[in-house]
């Protein structure tokens, strides 16, 4: 079996992505104790339909994640989330900045570092990858 990192640039078919989004919707509605508490049923269904329309071609896992995540976020529940597999982040194509930032007076400061313990909160960020 190939790891996600070796296949993350591969495109997943529209049919599979659409079925997966429908499954996410059904799981949220069926398993969450109050799926419509903060986003009403009609608004949730409208969001689902909007996101479904965005699946208009085969997509990478990262592209699909950006479509599926708002559906989960619509529940506004800290106990319900969606995430990409750890292997996804080991891929050279998965570009992201792994540090929360706060900007003040045209300077960047570390807000939180997640799993990166090397940069203490409040540290001024003067360069990234030796680029000023």
């Amino acid at each position: 079996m190939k790891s996600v990192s070796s296949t993350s640039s591969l495109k997943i078919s529209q049919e599979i992505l659409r079925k997966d989004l429908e499954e996410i919707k059904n799981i949220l509605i069926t398993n969450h104790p109050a799926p419509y508490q903060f986003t009403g049923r009609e608004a949730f269904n409208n969001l689902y339909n909007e996101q479904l329309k965005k699946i208009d071609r085969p997509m990478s896992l990262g592209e699909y994640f950006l479509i599926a995540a708002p559906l989960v976020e619509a529940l506004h529940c800290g106990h319900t989330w969606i995430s990409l597999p750890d292997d996804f982040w080991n891929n050279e194509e998965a570009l992201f900045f792994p540090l929360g930032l706060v900007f003040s007076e045209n300077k960047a400061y570390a807000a939180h570092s997640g799993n990166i313990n090397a940069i203490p909160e409040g540290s001024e960020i003067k360069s990234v990858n030796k680029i000023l």
Side-chain angles (χ1 to χ4, degrees):
M1 179 176 191
K2 292 184 178 181
S3 71
V4 173
S5 61
S6 68
T7 61
S8 63
S9 62
L10 295 177
K11 302 296 182 185
I12 305 165
S13 76
Q14 285 177 260
E15 180 183 358
I16 290 172
L17 295 175
R18 287 172 182 259
K19 284 181 182 178
D20 190 75
L21 193 67
E22 181 179 12
E23 186 173 346
I24 289 172
K25 175 189 169 198
N26 291 336
I27 288 170
L28 291 173
I29 292 169
T30 306
N31 294 316
H32 195 277
Y36 305 117
Q37 182 175 2
F38 297 104
T39 303
R41 181 185 308 260
E42 184 177 344
F44 184 84
N45 287 332
N46 287 341
L47 175 62
Y48 168 75
N49 289 328
E50 288 172 22
Q51 298 308 96
L52 192 62
K53 288 177 190 174
K54 293 178 183 179
I55 303 173
D56 57 0
R57 67 194 187 311
M59 297 179 172
S60 69
L61 182 60
E63 291 172 309
Y64 172 67
F65 177 79
L66 296 174
I67 290 172
L71 200 61
V72 177
E73 175 58 27
L75 273 63
H76 300 285
C77 176
H79 299 100
T80 306
W81 68 90
I82 186 171
S83 63
L84 289 163
D86 289 341
D87 282 352
F88 178 85
W89 303 111
N90 296 328
N91 184 334
E92 291 178 20
E93 294 178 24
L95 301 176
F96 70 102
F97 196 69
L99 180 67
L101 297 175
V102 173
F103 295 90
S104 177
E105 298 179 16
N106 293 322
K107 294 182 180 181
Y109 297 92
H112 61 83
S113 59
N115 295 330
I116 302 170
N117 297 322
I119 303 174
E121 272 189 49
S123 297
E124 183 180 353
I125 307 301
K126 295 184 178 183
S127 68
V128 175
N129 296 335
K130 299 180 184 177
I131 298 172
L132 300 175

